[in-house]
Amino acid sequence: MEEKTISFISGRKSHTIPISSILYIIMKKQDAFVHVSDGRILKTRMTFAEFQNELGEDFIRIHRGCLVSAMAIHSVNELVNLSNGDSLEYSAQHREEIMEKFRQKQRRIIDELADNDNPEDNKEYHEYYSCFDNIPVAFTDIEIIFNEDSQAVDWIFRYGNEALAELENCPLEKLIGRTFGSIFKNMDSKWLRSYERAVLYGETLEIIDYSPEIDKYLRVICFPTFKGHCGCMLFDISETKIAVENTVGTKALLMYMQKMFD
């Protein structure tokens, strides 16, 4: 099926982008600001009604002058929280519609995850990832657990190498096949949010934060693997050495650091 696109003028240039790449649109007087998943914000003069007609039912009006993609919604509480980390205010009169669209989206994606040809047991996962057994970087494949409301609540370790066991300070036989929450009672949900994005939306993400579970500052790169799973490479920041030997390397490091703070 051909992917649906939308075309408009922004910055005196014509843009044609996939509708699936639009996170939300906010109107400010006569201007529309289109927030795209790659981080761009495109300003155009299309009207709110024109966007509603072009984008269809997968976009929800959450308040006057704001349309949000149902696929971009991560959770709804006092705010509408999006998969890219943005949070938006919404009108109470639209809450039920927002919640229903969100539930439909989650159920649809999770139903698709259930139809898979993943390895059948831990032995098969180990055979698949055996090339990671002896690398000096912690690596794991995890399976996300969803509750009845289609929300990610925990994950199961399906594969891990010895470097992971050392980082987590826990033997592999106590990790593999068990949920994170059953091993670490002080589970921090910030990791789960990123892993859920990798699984549901196919994103590759980098997280740098403190892990109270193991009392370490970590850099984690997560990415989709099997349906319902994501792979994670974990680095203990205190043991990471950075080699920068020339001005080009310094520039690359500064660009990397700047992107983290943008």
Side-chain angles (χ1 to χ4, degrees):
M1 182 183 295
E2 186 175 351
E3 187 169 23
K4 293 182 179 179
T5 61
I6 185 171
S7 298
F8 52 83
I9 302 296
S10 177
R12 298 183 179 180
K13 295 181 180 180
S14 177
H15 294 264
T16 298
I17 61 175
I19 288 177
S20 62
S21 72
I22 298 176
L23 300 175
Y24 60 99
I25 297 163
I26 292 182
M27 302 296 300
K28 294 182 180 179
K29 295 184 178 179
Q30 302 300 316
D31 297 318
F33 293 83
V34 183
H35 293 249
V36 188
S37 57
D38 61 10
R40 288 180 297 164
I41 302 176
L42 303 175
K43 178 182 175 182
T44 185
R45 279 296 180 98
M46 278 182 71
T47 67
F48 190 79
E50 288 173 331
F51 271 116
Q52 282 186 306
N53 291 333
E54 288 274 357
L55 299 178
E57 295 183 356
D58 285 338
F59 280 74
I60 311 164
R61 179 179 179 178
I62 66 169
H63 65 72
R64 183 180 180 182
C66 184
L67 279 174
V68 177
S69 167
M71 289 298 293
I73 298 175
H74 176 268
S75 61
V76 181
N77 39 52
E78 292 82 4
L79 299 170
V80 174
N81 303 302
L82 305 185
S83 58
N84 70 334
D86 288 355
S87 296
L88 303 171
E89 295 181 351
Y90 64 92
S91 171
Q93 70 186 73
H94 294 296
R95 178 176 173 80
E96 288 305 315
E97 180 188 3
I98 295 168
M99 292 301 299
E100 181 56 30
K101 290 280 188 180
F102 172 65
R103 286 190 287 264
Q104 289 176 6
K105 176 210 70 169
Q106 293 286 77
R107 284 195 295 267
R108 184 166 65 248
I109 295 174
I110 293 169
D111 286 346
E112 292 174 357
L113 296 179
D115 181 19
N116 64 62
D117 55 356
N118 296 358
E120 293 185 358
D121 53 33
N122 293 333
K123 181 180 179 181
E124 288 194 10
Y125 280 108
H126 184 261
E127 290 175 353
Y128 182 86
Y129 286 114
S130 59
C131 61
F132 289 89
D133 285 351
N134 298 313
I135 66 171
V137 175
F139 174 78
T140 182
D141 181 283
I142 60 175
E143 178 181 359
I144 301 299
I145 300 173
F146 296 92
N147 63 16
E148 293 180 355
D149 295 323
S150 303
Q151 296 175 326
V153 292
D154 207 338
W155 68 82
I156 301 172
F157 290 99
R158 290 305 183 191
Y159 168 82
N161 59 10
E162 287 297 337
L164 176 75
E166 182 178 353
L167 180 73
E168 302 282 4
N169 195 27
C170 185
L172 284 180
E173 57 267 24
K174 292 186 178 181
L175 286 173
I176 306 306
R178 294 186 61 188
T179 64
F180 186 85
S182 69
I183 303 169
F184 302 98
K185 304 302 182 182
N186 58 336
M187 178 179 179
D188 193 324
S189 63
K190 64 174 173 264
W191 309 105
L192 187 60
R193 179 178 178 181
S194 296
Y195 301 158
E196 181 183 28
R197 285 172 58 184
V199 167
L200 295 181
Y201 309 116
E203 295 181 274
T204 296
L205 301 169
E206 182 174 28
I207 317 119
I208 299 177
D209 214 323
Y210 173 69
S211 171
E213 301 91 346
I214 58 176
D215 191 25
K216 293 178 181 177
Y217 288 89
L218 300 178
R219 171 175 170 247
V220 180
I221 300 172
C222 64
F223 47 89
T225 53
F226 297 103
K227 287 187 176 181
H229 291 236
C230 75
C232 301
M233 301 188 75
L234 302 92
F235 305 85
D236 183 342
I237 292 176
S238 67
E239 297 181 358
T240 301
K241 297 179 180 179
I242 299 176
V244 179
E245 300 180 359
N246 53 52
T247 55
V248 175
T250 302
K251 182 178 179 180
L253 180 61
L254 291 173
M255 290 174 63
Y256 174 77
M257 296 298 292
Q258 181 61 48
K259 190 170 184 180
M260 287 171 47
F261 289 104
D262 284 345

